[in-house]
Amino acid sequence: MAKLAKPANTPDNKDQIGDFSPVPSGKYPAQMVKSEYKPTKAKTGHFLECQFIILDGEFRGKTLFERLNLDNPNPVAVEIANKTLNTICHACGKIGVEDSEELHGIPVLLTVIKVEATETQPANNDIKFYEPLGSGNVEGSVNIPPNLTPPPANKLPWEK
């Protein structure tokens, strides 16, 4: 028996771990819900960690991550990160983004691949492309909810 430091699963302590198991390769409607600028493990630069949540289908609520090496001694890593960030901004319909929080809550369509486990790494997902929601063909099990499609006035629900 072990005495707990504080009671578990109470109104004040009810957070649970998330399911970070990978999803099958495909296209998923999702939105960025969190982003944080963090130092690299080697302390030689920084990366922007972006957290996306799948909005619909069998994997609704699953979390996917993108890490962008925006400040890194490797110029190729920085170039790839900047191109990826620009693609995310384009998919969100944003120009001149100065804070990653400007990208939060805007539905986009992710192209995701599943990377199989190796001897040293567990299976995971890589986000390979970002596009505006509604511009691509979403694979079978993913249905875009009606409230995420553009209304007749050509103004999207998240546009101000």
Side-chain angles (χ1 to χ4, degrees):
M1 180 162 44
K3 178 76 173 154
L4 302 177
K6 72 181 194 179
N9 202 26
T10 65
D12 293 335
N13 179 20
K14 61 183 176 183
D15 291 339
Q16 298 180 26
I17 62 169
D19 178 6
F20 296 110
S21 58
V23 299
S25 297
K27 291 191 175 195
Y28 298 96
Q31 66 185 14
M32 188 185 303
V33 294
K34 184 178 179 184
S35 57
E36 187 176 351
Y37 205 55
K38 298 180 173 183
T40 60
K41 192 175 189 177
K43 305 286 187 225
T44 57
H46 296 85
F47 64 94
L48 179 66
E49 182 177 75
C50 304
Q51 182 177 337
F52 290 85
I53 299 291
I54 295 176
L55 297 173
D56 193 35
E58 179 182 353
F59 301 101
R60 180 183 181 149
K62 293 283 286 185
T63 303
L64 300 169
F65 294 93
E66 178 73 85
R67 291 173 183 89
L68 303 172
N69 289 296
L70 296 171
D71 170 28
N72 193 287
N74 181 341
V76 175
V78 173
E79 179 183 0
I80 292 168
N82 279 308
K83 286 179 179 180
T84 302
L85 182 57
N86 289 340
T87 303
I88 295 168
C89 292
H90 176 77
C92 290
K94 295 285 190 173
I95 297 172
V97 172
E98 294 183 14
D99 188 321
S100 60
E101 198 167 303
E102 295 176 48
L103 305 171
H104 293 190
I106 301 173
V108 297
L109 189 62
L110 305 180
T111 300
V112 177
I113 63 164
K114 180 179 178 185
V115 180
E116 297 300 329
T118 66
E119 287 183 21
T120 58
Q121 296 291 321
N124 62 55
N125 286 120
D126 276 345
I127 303 171
K128 289 297 182 183
F129 194 64
Y130 301 82
E131 55 193 304
L133 188 63
S135 68
N137 215 0
V138 180
E139 294 180 6
S141 67
V142 179
N143 298 311
I144 299 172
N147 64 336
L148 294 181
T149 56
N154 292 329
K155 189 150 183 127
L156 300 174
W158 52 87
E159 290 180 331
K160 295 178 182 172

